[in-house]
Amino acid sequence: MGKFVIRETNTGIKFDLKAANGEVIATSEVYASEDACRGGIASVRKNAPVAAIENQTVEGYEVEKHPKFEVYQDRAGEYRFRLKATNGQIIVVSEGYKAIAGCMNGIASVKKNAEDSEIVEG
């Protein structure tokens, strides 16, 4: 089972969703308060399991309704995803993956780990 790790940064509070092996799967934005950060975790728990996948790396991709995972390529050519909530706000983003298969595995891991991962202070 994965875990949400809440941690302080120089500019606020954020969380990482980590897989059972300790790898960071997704990272949140920086929040002003711990309550807001915990609200972000609740949003991931609610949205990730039901989110569609919109693969923006293929020509003529089908635009999905929110909530959704958007798969895209960054300027360096790496594959990334971002999870958008029902209101279209970005909840978490991934790190870069060399291959699209790795990115899709990351999405599957978020979907699997989001609902029942414990929350810990990091």
Side-chain angles (χ1 to χ4, degrees), residues 77-88:
E78 291 190 322
Y79 295 92
R80 295 179 179 267
F81 66 81
R82 56 187 160 237
L83 172 60
K84 288 189 170 182
T86 308
N87 64 5

Side-chain angles (χ1 to χ4, degrees), residues 8-93:
E8 286 193 40
T9 69
N10 292 338
T11 55
I13 299 173
K14 67 188 301 184
F15 67 84
D16 293 322
L17 175 57
K18 293 188 175 186
N21 65 3
E23 289 283 319
V24 174
I25 313 166
T27 302
S28 75
E29 66 178 339
V30 176
Y31 295 94
S33 70
E34 186 174 333
D35 282 347
C37 186
R38 288 180 180 273
I41 291 171
S43 186
V44 171
R45 285 182 163 161
K46 175 184 169 192
N47 290 288
V50 298
I53 298 173
E54 180 180 290
N55 186 350
Q56 298 176 353
T57 67
V58 295
E59 199 169 317
Y61 66 87
E62 188 173 332
V63 176
E64 299 288 347
K65 291 182 181 175
H66 296 104
K68 65 182 174 182
F69 285 95
E70 291 179 342
V71 177
Y72 63 99
Q73 273 187 293
D74 64 16
R75 289 189 185 108
E78 291 190 322
Y79 295 92
R80 295 179 179 267
F81 66 81
R82 56 187 160 237
L83 172 60
K84 288 189 170 182
T86 308
N87 64 5
Q89 186 173 4
I90 297 171
I91 314 169
V92 292
V93 296

